[in-house]
Amino acid sequence: MTTSATPEAATHELVIRGGTIVDGGGEAARQGDVAIEGERIAAIGAPNTLRGRRILDAAGRIVAPGFFDIHSHADYTLLVDGRAHSCVCQGITSVVTGNCGHGVAPVTPLSRDLVCMNIPGWSTDWEVPVTWDSFGSYLEVFRNRGSGVNVFPLVAHGALRLAVAGFEDRAMKKGELDAMRSMIEEAMAAGAIGFSSGLEYAPGISAGRDELARVCEPAGAYGGIYATHCRNRAEGMIDSAEEAVHIAEHSGTRLQMSHFIRRPWAPEGLEKRAMAVLEDARGRGVTTYCDVFPFDYGPTPLGYLLPLWARAGGRAEIADRLGSAAVRRRVLGALGANFKAALEGDIAETMYVSHDGHDGAMVGRTLGEISKDRGEDVAETAIWLLARAGENFYTVTIVERWVEWDDLTAALGDPNFFIMGDGASGGLDGALARYTFTLSDWGYAPAYLGRFVRDMGVTSLESAIARMTAGPAAQVGIEGRGRIAEGFFADLVVFDLDTIGADIEPGHLKSVPTGIDHVLVNGTFVVRDGRPTDARPGSIGADR
């Protein structure tokens, strides 16, 4: 709650008084006041020493930098609803979009109808027309619509490949590589912070390391980052780490390994050898970090099942194709035996539908349950779900177990891993009120701080906050954010460590977190007394 001070005594616009300050830099927590003027932190003082025209009483609360989500997929959903309820309600003030090679810009005539198949959350029910072409014009559309959080976008390799070759499964020609390099250079100049790849998905899976290294060079020239959903986190995990390091060294970028933990079926001990590759790179001067979200279930769009021939044409054409029983049988036959096996048996009972692209009737149910009701194999059910969604087939998503629990908890306590979301954004009302992508959408930050830090003690509160704020901000090259320090932007969260948490599970993805009292972005309240204000003070893109 805020109260008014006498005008004669006021020296600052707002003072957050008497909270426990965890500054994001790893320093020991301390009691104090934080003063704000405009968008910036003006002063930090001992408890009850700073005066302001407005006072926010933070006694008994933690005052921390707003959480900096280094791995988000809210590129499109934030365009749909910039209020970013699911972000701000859990204390997120900045997001890095464009991860895993998924993005919506730049766009060419070839890719204008394809980008909807390269990002979560695109639906005919809330479609935002693609009026942009360059990355800069995309950012302008974003700025005009407004955002409740700061948005720092990566250039997605998938968007670049779609722009020059669509989903073609082949090596790029010299002219196409030159065009991709020109696009990423324009994007970096316009405000992108780096380059991302998704090498388990089309179209990124078709790229070799030489292509990726060449295209990444302009990002390095601008001091950017290379973030990668690598090619393989099972038997090929070590080779994947070596490939990522090669690209970063060649391009002069900092390296961010997205959710780099071995798959549950990979041999034990494999991750130690892969991490040794990254440690060797650090020894050669490559700034290298990984990231992880605090759930053992993660998202998978079922559209990844479709072979490339089934993706030919635009969204309407693909939907018509999936409406044919003969085509569905052909798609089923194209699935590899290992993937079919992965969908069968007990594992299907742990694959929950997070969004069904249709009427929501399947959300929260498992593929196993649905297949039993329909009297068919699970793989057939997966293809049926895509067909049922029509043109929204790409929004059909499941959450499935992605990591062994011991590996997850080890990463959550490891200072080489930043804590991120890997989610999209949703709303308490409006177009996205019924949209959920994964568990992190509404609660990765409270879940980590409540369950893993407070209850399980995987790391100290100071270290946890640093890995959610200053660490990610520095890794992506954003100055003036992620710390409580004089002159820094006033991106702040005030929360109750005793009650912070998220009542979220695979079959129940939407629940407003507990314990978050106030959130400010650039000095403006986006959450006040536990309720979103719908303000949109976020900054879009890095300053160049």
Side-chain angles (χ1 to χ4, degrees):
M1 178 180 294
T2 56
T3 60
S4 297
T6 61
E8 301 79 31
T11 57
H12 297 290
E13 183 179 332
L14 172 67
V15 170
I16 301 174
R17 176 169 289 173
T20 300
I21 298 172
V22 181
D23 68 4
E27 299 295 326
R30 65 191 189 279
Q31 303 295 116
D33 295 351
V34 179
I36 298 167
E37 290 285 349
E39 294 186 336
R40 305 261 181 175
I41 297 170
I44 302 168
N48 303 311
T49 61
L50 300 182
R51 296 183 175 183
R53 291 184 292 278
R54 293 180 296 157
I55 302 295
L56 190 153
D57 182 4
R61 299 295 191 262
I62 304 296
V63 182
F67 306 131
F68 199 112
D69 185 358
I70 198 171
H71 190 111
S72 171
H73 290 289
D75 311 53
Y76 185 74
T77 50
L78 284 175
L79 279 180
V80 175
D81 187 347
R83 296 175 300 168
H85 284 162
S86 65
C87 299
V88 299
C89 284
Q90 59 176 305
I92 298 169
T93 58
S94 296
V95 298
V96 174
T97 56
N99 282 281
C100 296
H102 301 321
V104 297
V107 169
T108 63
L110 174 61
S111 66
R112 193 166 299 276
D113 292 333
L114 302 180
V115 290
C116 60
M117 293 178 279
N118 194 48
I119 196 68
W122 201 303
S123 172
T124 56
D125 295 336
W126 53 72
E127 189 162 28
V128 176
V130 182
T131 58
W132 59 89
D133 44 29
S134 68
F135 204 89
S137 60
Y138 161 68
L139 295 184
E140 280 305 304
V141 170
F142 223 137
R143 293 182 183 113
N144 290 337
R145 296 178 74 88
S147 173
V149 292
N150 305 306
V151 180
F152 301 110
L154 297 159
V155 187
H157 175 246
L160 298 180
R161 249 195 174 246
L162 290 177
V164 299
F167 281 108
E168 292 186 23
D169 182 18
R170 61 174 175 81
M172 294 292 93
K173 301 171 184 175
K174 181 181 182 303
E176 292 167 332
L177 283 177
D178 290 343
M180 292 167 73
R181 285 169 55 87
S182 294
M183 290 176 188
I184 193 171
E185 185 163 0
E186 179 274 330
M188 294 299 295
I193 59 165
F195 175 62
S196 83
S197 64
L199 304 182
E200 284 190 304
Y201 316 125
I205 196 170
S206 302
R209 67 169 58 186
D210 291 340
E211 171 188 324
L212 294 161
R214 285 279 292 153
V215 174
C216 195
E217 286 174 351
Y222 275 86
I225 188 174
Y226 173 53
T228 181
H229 176 127
C230 69
R231 209 172 291 276
N232 188 302
R233 299 199 309 273
E235 68 283 347
M237 192 173 187
I238 297 169
D239 290 342
S240 295
E242 290 173 345
E243 178 181 54
V245 167
H246 168 80
I247 294 164
E249 284 190 303
H250 177 89
S251 60
T253 51
R254 299 178 299 283
L255 176 59
Q256 187 67 28
M257 300 294 293
S258 300
H259 34 64
F260 192 62
I261 305 178
R262 72 181 178 97
R263 299 286 194 181
W265 58 85
E268 290 188 25
L270 186 65
E271 71 280 3
K272 293 182 180 179
R273 294 162 59 196
M275 289 299 177
V277 173
L278 304 184
E279 191 58 38
D280 287 345
R282 293 187 189 105
R284 298 194 300 273
V286 181
T287 301
T288 304
Y289 285 94
C290 306
D291 51 47
V292 61
F293 53 87
F295 302 103
D296 55 351
Y297 279 75
T300 299
L302 281 184
Y304 295 161
L305 295 176
L306 297 179
L308 288 176
W309 60 261
R311 303 186 194 199
R315 186 172 58 187
E317 187 176 349
I318 297 170
D320 287 344
R321 191 176 296 130
L322 288 173
S324 163
V327 170
R328 293 197 298 274
R329 285 193 297 271
R330 187 181 170 196
V331 170
L332 191 64
L335 297 181
N338 289 340
F339 196 86
K340 283 184 181 179
L343 288 174
E344 304 301 334
D346 293 340
I347 194 170
E349 302 298 338
T350 65
M351 294 176 167
Y352 292 82
V353 177
S354 62
H355 190 70
D356 66 10
H358 190 52
D359 57 5
M362 300 296 122
V363 172
R365 304 191 68 200
T366 70
L367 292 187
E369 291 172 345
I370 300 169
S371 68
K372 287 176 183 176
D373 285 352
R374 291 180 53 80
E376 62 188 9
D377 291 340
V378 180
E380 291 178 285
T381 294
I383 304 303
W384 171 78
L385 283 168
L386 294 176
R388 178 177 180 268
E391 291 190 32
N392 294 330
F393 67 90
Y394 195 78
T395 66
V396 180
T397 308
I398 61 168
V399 291
E400 59 180 332
R401 189 167 167 271
W402 74 285
V403 67
E404 293 286 355
W405 183 256
D406 288 347
D407 290 342
L408 175 65
T409 54
L412 291 170
D414 186 339
N416 289 314
F417 280 80
F418 297 133
I419 310 304
M420 56 81 164
D422 200 11
S425 59
L428 290 171
D429 52 39
L432 298 180
R434 292 173 56 192
Y435 177 70
T436 50
F437 179 61
T438 188
L439 288 80
S440 289
D441 291 4
W442 285 91
Y444 88 84
Y448 179 59
L449 292 172
R451 183 177 190 181
F452 291 95
V453 177
R454 180 193 63 217
D455 297 342
M456 296 175 59
V458 299
T459 190
S460 69
L461 177 63
E462 291 86 349
S463 175
I465 295 295
R467 289 161 57 203
M468 300 170 75
T469 58
Q475 172 71 332
V476 299
I478 298 300
E479 298 180 353
R481 300 190 190 272
R483 294 281 303 274
I484 296 181
E486 290 184 10
F488 273 52
F489 286 97
D491 298 338
L492 299 167
V493 57
V494 179
F495 66 91
D496 183 349
L497 185 59
D498 291 334
T499 62
I500 193 169
D503 182 20
I504 292 169
E505 55 189 29
H508 175 63
L509 301 183
K510 183 176 179 179
S511 180
V512 178
T514 55
I516 302 290
D517 295 325
H518 311 284
V519 183
L520 294 92
V521 172
N522 297 319
T524 296
F525 282 96
V526 291
V527 171
R528 192 164 184 170
D529 297 321
R531 295 183 295 274
T533 67
D534 291 352
R536 304 187 187 200
S539 177
I540 309 296
D543 294 332
R544 289 281 187 255

